[in-house]
Amino acid sequence: MQAEMWRLYRHLVFGGVVIVVCCYVVMEFTQIRFGASKAEQLLCVDAEFSSALLLSGVSQKLPDSQFTWTLASKELPSISSIPSLIANKTWLKFPDSSYQLTFGEPDSPMLVGRVTQGNQLFKLESLVKFFLQTDQISHQDKIDLIEGMTCLSMKKISTGVSDSVTGVALVHGAYSEYGFVWQDKTADESVYLSVAYNDSLSLTLVVVLVVGIGITIMLLLIWRELVSLDFKRKTFESITRQIARGRSSLPKGIPDSSGTLKELAYSFDSMSSHIQRLLKVQREMINAISHELRTPIARLRFGLEVMKDEVNDDVAKTIEALEGDVEELNKLVDEVLTYGKLEGGSLALNFKELCIAQLVDNILQHNHLLLQHLNVEVHIDENDLVLADEHHLSRALQNLILNASKYANSKIVITFSQDEERWQLDIEDDGPGIAFEDRDKVFIPFQRLDNSRTRASGGYGLGLAIVQRIAFWHGGAVLIDASESGGAKFSLIWSRNQHQKTLS
């Protein structure tokens, strides 16, 4: 597990570093891009004011402009046509980061300006004041020229200023812009002029996008590791479940062959092998003892039978009691051997079609003396057929019916049902029932419950354990529930499709 945790930690650190680096790179790139865009916008404002001054004939030389201007035509245009010339200007950017700006037709331009972009100091304020304060252009013509400037924003404001042209700073949250407030002496309102930044690249949006992508990638890497861990958990859970069901060795192809999962799996495999050896020794010892007991039990039975003919009636009664004890001991040995064969898988089951109604009827007739004091209700269709091993299914049903007869007060109900996947036989009694917390204990071999249902009932604690093993090898199980009459309800369920024809 340490390797998986380290891998998750590595993904977190790696993802965090990648996000920080990407954010730094994007912010640097965006700042460079924004700086270049801002410089181009300032050049554009410089060019538009300079062209307005040159084409209108206000000035023939502009030392404060970044451009080197050349008038290609000696005949200047009219004031009314200058806004369209400014709006339709042509930009050219050369590989050496220099710019050329052309006003008029490309074949016969009226004004051409060139500039080499570097660490220039922009002198826009002097150009703006020169244009706005000149008397050679009327106020309305100035307004028309400004409206034709694409790199300049203009809006009317009510704020008054002391000078006709005043530089101002406008702050919007964390951003600020620099502009001019123009109050012409012939106009009543002030006008605010500022550079129109139209850069569509948003630094905040790009940073958020990069951070989101980085976090998404990091989460995907972590999700991949979590899915891998969950897959290993399910595999390990499957392995432990197989070991719990009696598998003595590990399956092949365990994932994470060099990790914690295989170490745990092999630890469980070693523990399972040790438990299997202990269980094998225990079964062999019990089977050996049970087989060895058969001979002295047979001799005791024969000896008691012989002695019964040679003694008086009083001693004969004692011998009959001893014969009952010997018979009980013989039944115990038979139960132990049967359970050992079922548990060890040394029996071969012969599955065939059986009439379940006839099978139950034979059991009831064979045990009629034990059931004669009870009302036995059977709800089984005579045409119902099942697939099972006749001998062992009969043994399981007999154990369940006789178990119910020990605790029933007056009635036993036997009901058969089926669907597309399974057969089910329910045996209910009206006895004291079984507490919910004790229902799993009744299937433990030799387990005796200290309650009214088991007290003085006899038996060896193997009957229901044998039923459970028979149900298991038929691909089913035995369930316990409460009966409608207040007693216990045992449901023997076995599969139509998943039965095992052999135990080996």
Side-chain angles (χ1 to χ4, degrees), residues 64-104:
D64 291 334
S65 175
Q66 296 289 333
F67 290 86
T68 300
W69 296 102
T70 302
L71 277 170
S73 176
K74 294 182 180 180
E75 184 178 351
L76 298 178
S78 62
I79 293 294
S80 60
S81 63
I82 293 177
S84 63
L85 291 174
I86 294 176
N88 297 320
K89 59 185 175 295
T90 303
W91 279 90
L92 287 177
K93 184 176 182 181
F94 299 101
D96 59 352
S97 296
S98 62
Y99 293 89
Q100 177 177 298
L101 194 58
T102 303
F103 294 85

Side-chain angles (χ1 to χ4, degrees), residues 15-33 203 206-211:
V17 171
V18 169
I19 291 174
V20 171
V21 172
C22 289
C23 288
Y24 175 78
V25 172
V26 170
M27 290 179 69
E28 285 293 322
F29 171 78
T30 307
Q31 286 179 352
I32 293 172
R33 173 74 179 275
L203 176 62
V206 172
V207 171
V208 170
L209 183 63
V210 171
V211 171

Side-chain angles (χ1 to χ4, degrees), residues 334-354:
D334 182 64
E335 294 274 273
V336 170
L337 289 175
T338 302
Y339 182 77
K341 290 178 181 179
L342 289 169
E343 183 70 21
S346 59
L347 290 180
L349 299 183
N350 180 27
F351 285 83
K352 63 180 181 179
E353 281 193 346
L354 304 173

